[in-house]
Amino acid sequence: QVQLVESGGGLVQAGGSLRLSCAASGRTFSNYVMGWFRQAPGKEREFVAAITWSGAATYYADSVKGRFKISRDNANNTVYLQMNSLKPEDTAVYYCTARNPWRPVTMVVADYPYWGQGTQVTVSS
């Protein structure tokens, strides 16, 4: 089991930045693919970004490419999502997630068994 706790959400104006953090505990964090998804009111949960266990490869949704950056610190069991040039359409609850060790990155919600409680990000226009 992996326990995930997000932090860093909040209210920001359009064009601003936020950095989300996700602290993991439990099994060997460094073996897990880590990701971020988000869910806006009335919409399905969608993929935002993911990073391989080593951090060597990262993946992004087209809507956030060039603006968001995912990274991880395996020594401190933490994954980050740096969000720049935020837009009102980025408003959502952001969830940290983990996939079982040695599995490939996917963009499918059902492939990720471990989830945090979510953190609200609100971008005002």
Side-chain angles (χ1 to χ4, degrees):
Q1 287 283 347
V2 175
Q3 291 78 44
L4 305 171
V5 179
E6 303 98 334
S7 62
L11 174 64
V12 64
Q13 288 189 333
S17 299
L18 283 175
R19 188 175 82 155
L20 305 183
S21 299
C22 173
S25 60
R27 296 288 183 90
T28 307
F29 171 79
S30 60
N31 294 343
Y32 287 74
V33 165
M34 300 298 297
W36 290 93
F37 284 70
R38 67 186 182 186
Q39 188 166 17
K43 295 189 177 181
E44 294 186 351
R45 194 168 297 189
E46 65 175 6
F47 174 80
V48 174
I51 187 167
T52 55
W53 64 274
S54 67
T58 55
Y59 304 81
Y60 298 93
D62 287 343
S63 59
V64 307
K65 276 181 184 176
R67 300 188 298 121
F68 290 12
K69 181 179 179 181
I70 188 171
S71 61
R72 67 189 297 161
D73 179 352
N74 286 343
N76 291 300
N77 290 1
T78 304
V79 64
Y80 302 99
L81 185 67
Q82 178 66 46
M83 305 185 295
N84 298 325
S85 302
L86 283 161
K87 304 175 181 179
E89 51 263 43
D90 294 318
T91 295
V93 177
Y94 283 70
Y95 295 92
C96 177
T97 187
R99 191 159 194 226
N100 286 330
W102 317 123
R103 298 296 182 97
V105 170
T106 76
M107 301 181 182
V108 178
V109 171
D111 288 339
Y112 291 82
Y114 306 109
W115 294 85
Q117 82 287 352
T119 186
Q120 177 71 46
V121 171
T122 303
V123 184
S124 63
S125 57

